[in-house]
Amino acid sequence: MSTPPRILLVEDSEADAHLARSAFALADIACEIDVVRDGEEALAYLTRDSLHGDAPRPALVLMDLRLPGCTGLEALVEIKASEELRAIPVVMLSTSGDPHDAAACYGARANAYIAKPHDLDGLVAMARSIHTLWLSAAGDI
Amino acid sequence: MAMTSSSSISVGIDDAGRLHDDLAWLGWREVERDGAIVLAPPTGAGPREVGEDLRTLISHDMASPVRALTLIASLIEAKGADVDSALLATVPGEAERVMLVTRRFSEFMKLLLRVPRFVERPLADVVAAAVRARRDRDVEVDVAEGLTTRLDEVLVESAVSELLDNARLHAPGGHRVTARAEADGVVLEVADAGPGIPAEYREAMLRAGRRLCHDDVPGCGLGLAVCAHVAACHGGRVEISAGADGAGCTVRMRLANGGAA
């Protein structure tokens, strides 16, 4: 049996982090979700700094756009500038769904920009889309 | 019409009083230059940038907890008792966040909409009013009684109050307010021994809605934006630095005399 794919969720809202877990559970998608709370911590996790030395490499990063300190967009730029990290797909999440935000994320080489769903059907559909596009073939990396 | 920064034009104005108030609200100030009164543009972020920051605050920071609460309610409806208790435990915090962002947004807009009224006032009185209003007992104040400047009392008291709140929140050990006269106005400083603001984030923290702390620390990133707005209304600016020993946070608000930089 293969190991469920691992997602790094970068989200400072505890409620949104739980809702993301609920989305995958409702969609019946098996995955491991590690949560960090800002862009700086995400970079530390991905580069396996002293605090995250044994952090596994995730199959996907789900990154909230609006984070305290180092924003999601700033962290995205860092990830895509790194030869070691740029192959990891990064999906940007935002409450607003603002086209300017989307353009900025795609300009910084985000793999996708998703406006956070406002209802349960949308939440499940989002989890399924993410699974189809980035997790179904991930397995162990 | 091509104009340079030193251009002057003569125009007929239908309602000069209203134009004056509108320009003052947009951050334009009357400045004496070569014996004439001229209008100088705002310092710091202009109204468009502030408007964009506030739009982002509402579309993200206000909408985010409302969205979470809506989804949690839908989950309860769909799953009844099977909803994760950890998710349910976030409900009071999300509701408080909606109230906080609403209140802070309203307070900030009130200050933004105020047309500054400059009067000569002792700075010590304005600082004392802020300390009294906040019932701040951990503050050490060092402002000379004779130090006066032309300022808008409501705006400057609000800015000092924001700085006292920040210092108390992030550095409970006590903080210090000082003020001094300089050639082009006065400098008001609030210094604390808290964790400080990393140099790379200091400029960004002056924009509305930018934060360093996570949601479990109260606030929505408007305190320093209030200070930046107030300083700009007075033809000045806000600078953030570490303390003399490299630790803590010092916020320095420069206010030009009567807003005439």
Side-chain angles (χ1 to χ4, degrees):
Chain A
M1 206 167 92
S2 67
T3 312
R6 184 173 297 272
I7 296 172
L8 175 63
L9 174 64
V10 191
E11 175 61 77
D12 69 322
S13 158
E14 207 183 329
D16 275 5
H18 283 296
L19 285 167
R21 287 186 194 279
S22 298
F24 287 97
L26 286 168
D28 211 15
I29 294 166
C31 58
E32 298 287 337
I33 301 179
D34 289 340
V35 182
V36 295
R37 300 185 68 193
D38 57 48
E40 212 165 325
E41 207 183 330
L43 293 169
Y45 178 105
L46 292 169
T47 56
R48 298 171 172 141
D49 78 345
S50 54
L51 281 177
H52 302 85
D54 56 352
R57 187 178 173 95
L60 174 73
V61 176
L62 286 178
M63 176 107 67
D64 186 28
L65 183 61
R66 193 155 166 87
L67 296 166
C70 174
T71 65
L73 189 61
E74 287 162 353
L76 170 68
V77 169
E78 292 283 324
I79 291 168
K80 294 302 177 184
S82 159
E83 208 166 304
E84 189 197 343
L85 303 177
R86 70 169 62 118
I88 302 173
V90 181
V91 173
M92 302 299 290
L93 302 172
S94 167
T95 306
S96 76
D98 185 319
H100 292 100
D101 287 345
C105 289
Y106 285 119
R109 308 205 183 292
N111 294 76
Y113 170 93
I114 298 177
K116 291 180 183 177
H118 288 68
D119 56 53
L120 287 186
D121 289 345
L123 204 63
V124 173
M126 178 188 77
R128 288 195 176 128
S129 299
I130 288 170
H131 177 257
T132 304
L133 290 168
W134 290 287
L135 300 181
S136 54
D140 289 320
I141 294 178
Chain B
M1 174 169 43
M3 289 177 62
T4 67
S5 60
S6 59
S7 294
S8 63
I9 54 173
S10 296
V11 290
I13 295 169
D14 200 26
D15 186 344
R18 181 175 169 181
L19 178 68
H20 180 275
D21 281 359
D22 284 352
L23 284 171
W25 177 68
L26 287 168
W28 287 74
R29 296 157 293 112
E30 288 177 354
V31 177
E32 192 179 332
R33 196 174 289 157
D34 301 328
I37 300 293
V38 298
L39 285 167
T43 54
R48 281 199 192 88
E49 286 162 296
V50 174
E52 180 56 30
D53 287 344
L54 290 176
R55 189 195 64 76
T56 304
L57 184 81
I58 292 300
S59 64
H60 284 266
D61 298 31
M62 173 72 89
S64 183
V66 172
R67 169 191 166 270
L69 289 169
T70 306
L71 279 167
I72 292 167
S74 301
L75 272 172
I76 292 169
E77 199 178 7
K79 296 179 69 180
D82 288 339
V83 178
D84 182 359
S85 60
L87 177 60
L88 289 179
T90 65
V91 168
E94 294 301 297
E96 276 171 30
R97 185 125 199 97
V98 176
M99 296 306 294
L100 174 74
V101 177
T102 307
R103 179 172 60 77
R104 294 291 287 149
F105 176 77
S106 167
E107 289 168 356
F108 189 56
M109 284 309 295
K110 203 169 158 187
L111 294 177
L112 280 184
L113 292 169
R114 181 178 171 81
V115 176
R117 301 282 181 225
F118 297 102
V119 289
E120 188 79 22
R121 292 282 290 142
L123 211 52
D125 289 2
V126 181
V127 171
V131 170
R132 261 198 315 276
R134 288 306 199 257
R135 296 183 182 154
D136 192 337
R137 295 190 180 87
D138 300 322
V139 65
E140 183 190 336
V141 178
D142 181 11
V143 181
E145 288 295 329
L147 181 58
T148 67
T149 189
R150 279 176 63 79
L151 50 77
D152 181 295
E153 211 167 346
V154 171
L155 290 178
V156 176
E157 186 186 324
S158 299
V160 175
S161 297
E162 295 291 345
L163 294 177
L164 294 177
D165 286 349
N166 276 354
R168 284 200 297 179
L169 186 64
H170 300 292
H175 41 280
R176 191 159 192 261
V177 182
T178 57
R180 62 180 182 276
E182 290 201 346
D184 54 353
V186 296
V187 176
L188 202 149
E189 275 184 12
V190 177
D192 67 52
I197 299 175
E200 65 269 31
Y201 297 128
R202 288 174 191 159
E203 197 63 37
M205 290 304 120
L206 299 176
R207 301 285 297 265
R210 290 297 300 267
R211 303 190 73 207
L212 268 183
C213 302
H214 296 111
D215 280 359
D216 45 8
V217 178
C220 49
L222 290 177
L224 287 170
V226 165
C227 298
H229 169 69
V230 171
C233 286
H234 290 75
R237 63 185 185 279
V238 171
E239 297 154 357
I240 302 170
S241 60
D245 56 355
C249 182
T250 298
V251 181
R252 193 171 297 112
M253 225 167 57
R254 295 183 179 278
L255 308 175
N257 276 317

